[in-house]
Amino acid sequence: MRNYIAGAAILALSLVSGIGSAAADCTPSREFKTLKPGVLTISAQTYRPYSIVESDGTVSGIDGELLKEIARRECLKIEAVIVDAAAALNYVQTGKADVTVGDWYRTKARSEVMNMTDPLYLDQMGIVSKDGASKLSDLEGKVVGTLQSNLWVPDLKKLYGAKLRLYPVVANVQQDLKNGRIDAYVESYSIAIIAAQSGEIDGFKAAVAEPDERVVSSTLPGQGAFPLNKENPTLLEVMNANIAELHKNGFIEKLLVKYGLDASAAKTGEPRWM
């Protein structure tokens, strides 16, 4: 879940790499500018499954592959500037990168200092339990854990009362789940899937939480998008046109499934601010 604004100073640059090359006979959809002519500069860090910095400095993951496809369509090469997560947005805001990656929410605060593309996917709420519960109502009367920083904490407090336990880090939640101190925990589905893929929750199941009107985050999950520099509105138009096409032809849905997420996350609904 990427619902913070990086305001810290730019951290150390560790690697710059070029990815791919624009075909000589390629024609972009329209004229637009990037920081470097013919190049899309990305500030990147690893935040699985959305952004994965590979050992050779290239960027994969859902956002990485989306940008590679857009760059291919628009005759651009990609240069990835590898930074700390706290610096990723700062690079875009200060004009040192065209775009950044990693499940950045469409928030009103961000829209005031950067352009945010139309939504790419939903950051769905997930439930981890022994029996694969998918309804928040199934957890009523049980002991439920979640991180104290999650957006849904106030709603879950109303729903579960004293049965809700808050944790500073996900490792502590997982440990209590395995030890039987809690019956289930609520977390971003993408984070739960990464935990399942890495064997951290063996013996337990992760499921997308079904919408429950009592918990806003289950009915209106965060919409992930690409942050862009505020001074380049034409790039925003080009990106949005490509995103619309990649939704329409199923590219984004297939990409989500490839990385273990639910296809329904591609059904973002209309763009909205958090």
Side-chain angles (χ1 to χ4, degrees):
M1 182 179 301
R2 304 303 288 274
N3 193 37
Y4 65 89
I5 297 179
I10 298 174
L11 301 182
L13 169 65
S14 60
L15 182 62
V16 178
S17 66
I19 304 173
S21 59
D25 59 349
C26 182
T27 304
S29 62
R30 58 180 294 184
E31 289 187 9
F32 62 96
K33 293 181 179 180
T34 53
L35 185 61
K36 299 178 183 179
V39 175
L40 187 67
T41 303
I42 305 172
S43 59
Q45 74 291 310
T46 291
Y47 185 72
R48 299 175 186 273
Y50 303 102
S51 174
I52 303 170
V53 176
E54 305 291 357
S55 58
D56 63 356
T58 60
V59 181
S60 61
I62 295 166
D63 288 10
E65 292 201 32
L66 270 172
L67 285 180
K68 288 176 186 176
E69 177 62 16
I70 292 172
R72 183 190 68 79
R73 289 164 165 257
E74 298 296 341
C75 317
L76 297 170
K77 294 189 296 182
I78 287 180
E79 285 187 5
V81 182
I82 313 307
V83 299
D84 186 277
L89 290 177
N90 196 294
Y91 262 70
V92 174
Q93 187 177 345
T94 58
K96 293 181 175 65
D98 296 300
V99 59
T100 189
V101 288
D103 185 27
W104 296 105
Y105 282 4
R106 285 174 47 86
T107 68
K108 189 64 176 176
R110 288 198 182 114
S111 74
E112 294 173 357
V113 294
M114 288 174 287
N115 288 327
M116 300 296 293
T117 67
D118 288 340
L120 308 170
Y121 41 69
L122 298 176
D123 189 4
Q124 295 172 306
M125 175 184 282
I127 299 173
V128 178
S129 66
K130 196 75 174 179
D131 58 2
S134 61
K135 296 180 180 179
L136 293 168
S137 58
D138 291 340
L139 306 183
E140 292 182 47
K142 298 181 179 180
V143 182
V144 180
T146 195
L147 294 189
Q148 59 194 26
S149 59
N150 281 327
L151 295 175
W152 48 71
V153 167
D155 287 341
L156 293 191
K157 281 183 177 178
K158 295 176 183 177
L159 191 60
Y160 303 130
K163 294 285 188 177
L164 181 68
R165 294 185 181 176
L166 303 180
Y167 296 82
V169 294
V170 72
N172 294 351
V173 191
Q174 293 170 352
Q175 191 61 44
D176 272 10
L177 182 68
K178 294 173 184 177
N179 291 338
R181 297 189 184 97
I182 59 175
D183 299 300
Y185 74 86
V186 179
E187 187 49 88
S188 167
Y189 182 65
S190 62
I191 293 176
I193 286 298
I194 290 298
Q197 292 172 346
S198 62
E200 295 172 5
I201 53 172
D202 285 347
F204 297 88
K205 300 175 183 178
V208 174
E210 296 181 23
D212 187 315
E213 294 297 331
R214 296 171 296 177
V215 181
V216 174
S217 295
S218 72
T219 60
L220 294 173
Q223 295 177 323
F226 289 132
L228 307 172
N229 185 269
K230 192 76 169 177
E231 303 304 315
N232 195 345
T234 308
L235 179 59
L236 175 64
E237 294 171 5
V238 170
M239 294 287 280
N240 281 342
N242 278 279
I243 290 167
E245 179 58 30
L246 295 176
H247 271 300
K248 184 178 179 180
N249 68 16
F251 183 91
I252 292 177
E253 182 177 306
K254 292 176 182 176
L255 198 53
L256 292 170
V257 173
K258 174 182 175 179
Y259 282 91
L261 301 188
D262 197 274
S264 63
K267 299 177 181 178
T268 63
E270 291 300 312
R272 50 184 164 77
W273 301 117
M274 292 187 67

